[in-house]
Amino acid sequence: MTQHGAFPKAAALMVAALVATTACDRQEDVPPGQPMDGTAEQPAQLPEEGVAPGAPAGGMVVELADGSGQNVGGARLEPEGDGVRVSIRVTGLTPNQEHGLHFHENGVCEGPGFQSAGGHFNPQGTQHGLENPAGPHAGDMPNIRANADGVADTTFVVTTVNLTSGTQNSLLRQGGTALVVHAGPDDYQTDPAGDAGARIACGVIRGG
């Protein structure tokens, strides 16, 4: 007849043996809490400070703020051939509407009206407008369109500017330049600013 407690004692011995075997199999030089192959666990990647959630990743970051200084998005500028790839995400726009977007000549964004950014970046002294026979400004860009939630999220390449310091059309000139979003759409023709309305967001592009 089996004595009471015999089976539990045998089971305990088997568990102890299994634990001992597992401990022996584990790599001796791997600290507790690390993967078995000895590679360190990578920390979670957090969004960059000042950039709205969902802003494109990679490249030079330009933080965009509204007239009250609140962050409303971010852009990334990356060299693309002889031009610049612009990846931008802006929140708080008028839903389902186009908004003018330009590079401006001064790297200063003082709210609420951002007049400190000066005029459009225009080292050649041309007229404004992508459809103007006497234009465009180097800083002219396509309109961005907000969705039903007031968010614009798009990428395009601008061939009239570059990120090479010391060149005429470089956005990284001494004192920097600025990226400005307007309240209304650029008509691509009217000099000097396309009748795009008030400046509602601005971000400094750091220069030399």
Side-chain angles (χ1 to χ4, degrees):
M1 183 174 179
T2 303
Q3 297 181 353
H4 291 295
F7 179 75
K9 182 176 181 180
L13 291 173
M14 291 176 64
V15 170
L18 179 60
V19 170
T21 301
T22 302
C24 292
D25 290 341
R26 191 176 172 87
Q27 296 179 19
E28 296 180 358
D29 59 347
V30 179
Q34 296 289 0
M36 291 292 289
D37 60 3
T39 59
E41 293 180 348
Q42 298 299 315
Q45 297 298 312
L46 300 177
E48 292 193 50
E49 183 178 357
V51 179
M60 174 187 295
V61 175
V62 179
E63 300 177 8
L64 292 168
D66 64 16
S68 65
Q70 296 299 308
N71 177 266
V72 292
R76 294 206 180 253
L77 310 180
E78 301 172 284
E80 179 80 12
D82 294 329
V84 176
R85 176 177 293 274
V86 179
S87 302
I88 184 169
R89 185 177 190 273
V90 190
T91 64
L93 302 176
T94 303
N96 301 314
Q97 179 180 296
E98 290 189 342
H99 293 263
L101 180 71
H102 310 110
F103 292 119
H104 283 244
E105 61 185 349
N106 299 330
V108 184
C109 289
E110 295 177 350
F114 302 120
Q115 296 305 311
S116 57
H120 291 179
F121 182 55
N122 186 25
Q124 278 80 28
T126 58
Q127 291 187 21
H128 166 80
L130 296 175
E131 298 177 0
N132 186 336
H137 294 153
D140 290 347
M141 289 183 279
N143 292 324
I144 56 176
R145 184 173 182 82
N147 62 19
D149 296 322
V151 179
D153 192 344
T154 187
T155 298
F156 52 86
V157 175
V158 182
T159 59
T160 52
V161 296
N162 64 66
L163 297 175
T164 304
S165 297
T167 61
Q168 185 181 32
N169 284 16
S170 177
L171 296 173
L172 305 182
R173 68 178 188 170
Q174 187 71 33
T177 52
L179 180 63
V180 174
V181 181
H182 290 260
D186 183 342
D187 65 15
Y188 299 146
Q189 295 179 341
T190 303
D191 195 58
D195 197 23
R199 305 173 183 188
I200 60 173
C202 184
V204 173
I205 303 168
R206 306 292 180 188

